[in-house]
Amino acid sequence: MIRRLPELMIEPVVRMALAEDLGRAGDLTSQACIPEGARMRAVFAARKAGVMAGVDCVRLALRALDPEARVEVKVQDGEAFEAGAALIEAEADARAFLAAERTALNLLGRLCGVASLTRAYVEATAGTGARIADTRKTTPGLRALEKHAVACGGGTNHRFGLDDAILIKDNHVAVCGGVGEAIRRARATAGHLVRVEIEVDGLDQLDEALAGRPDVVMLDNFSLDDLREAVARAAASPHGRPVLEASGGVRLETVRAIAETGVDVISVGALTHSAPSLDIGLDAL
């Protein structure tokens, strides 16, 4: 079951998008053409197959402008659908419906696109044991929604921000003076619930990283041969085996081979920074 985001995390995004669209004078077209009090029924319909994410964005967009709007969800977050499927049916004040239409479609299409691309990566690695994870390469202001969409597609969320885990990257290592010293400093300050991950960019750094006993080692831009060697070294390490995460330049065509090296997690920035919006339309009934 997909966990729903609290409304208080979604509503500010929806209201900001509505305010951006309504501007200083509201929907001039609907005010001119649509009689006051008219009602409208319509269906959000899929033009392409995909995976649902973002139903609450639609509901909150409509009810922000018409608190009495009725929204019937036909396809729940995390469920797959075919082209032509009726995703959501709704009825609301016509002026409100038309004013909320673009905000609802923009968010729904964006999130369904992220969920659908994530599902493709998850299916490509099925049976390997590797999990597909997102990154912080998200659209500013939409991180919680996009990470929710990744979960709808069957992916795993990496850290949400800088404050929920320690991830030592190459520039941290450079400033600290080495992999071992960076891990030592992190361990000295991390709370007992804070996990420590370190990025290494070659096998020459891996042994030093393993000796520091991090929780996770990120294998950045490793070749397939080096990934297999890293998995073998971690399994044989006297310091214990950390979680191994492959990262860097992962594509749908290459992800299966990466998963088959034995890594535990594959982080894919493309899930959020390169997912195309899914084509969804609004058809009046």
Side-chain angles (χ1 to χ4, degrees), residues 22-111:
L22 291 167
R24 296 170 296 175
D27 182 358
L28 298 182
T29 307
S30 294
Q31 291 172 22
C33 299
I34 306 299
E36 187 174 0
R39 303 290 293 175
M40 176 179 174
R41 290 182 62 238
V43 58
F44 291 83
R47 306 293 192 238
K48 295 180 65 176
V51 176
M52 176 58 87
V55 295
D56 285 331
C57 294
V58 174
R59 180 174 54 80
L60 290 173
L62 291 174
R63 290 182 177 168
L65 300 184
D66 177 6
E68 304 303 318
R70 293 188 295 171
V71 180
E72 182 181 358
V73 177
K74 301 290 188 179
V75 180
Q76 299 290 340
D77 278 1
E79 294 180 349
F81 53 81
E82 298 299 325
L87 306 177
I88 301 170
E89 291 185 8
E91 180 179 348
D93 175 87
R95 289 184 177 182
F97 208 142
L98 292 166
E101 173 185 356
R102 180 45 50 194
T103 289
L105 285 171
N106 282 350
L107 289 170
L108 187 63
R110 171 65 185 153
L111 298 180

Side-chain angles (χ1 to χ4, degrees), residues 121 124-126 128 130 132 222-225 227-228 231 246 250-263 266:
Y121 274 85
T125 56
T128 65
I132 298 297
F222 274 42
S223 68
L224 293 177
D225 286 342
L227 285 174
R228 284 187 281 268
V231 170
V250 180
R251 304 189 309 278
L252 193 55
E253 315 87 77
T254 62
V255 70
R256 177 80 190 185
I258 294 171
E260 289 174 343
T261 65
V263 295
I266 305 171

Side-chain angles (χ1 to χ4, degrees), residues 166-198:
I166 292 176
L167 174 45
I168 305 165
K169 304 280 282 183
D170 55 350
N171 287 328
H172 297 101
V173 170
V175 174
C176 286
V179 167
E181 178 62 14
I183 297 174
R184 186 193 66 77
R185 294 183 188 183
R187 284 295 190 202
T189 60
H192 68 289
L193 294 180
V194 176
R195 289 166 65 83
V196 175
E197 177 173 9
I198 187 158

Side-chain angles (χ1 to χ4, degrees), residues 121-138:
Y121 274 85
V122 169
E123 290 178 348
T125 56
T128 65
R131 291 173 292 167
I132 298 297
D134 54 28
T135 71
R136 285 168 45 241
K137 296 176 181 178
T138 54

Side-chain angles (χ1 to χ4, degrees), residues 1-4 77-79 148 151-154:
M1 177 179 293
I2 303 298
R3 290 176 293 180
R4 292 177 62 181
D77 278 1
E79 294 180 349
H148 170 71
C152 289

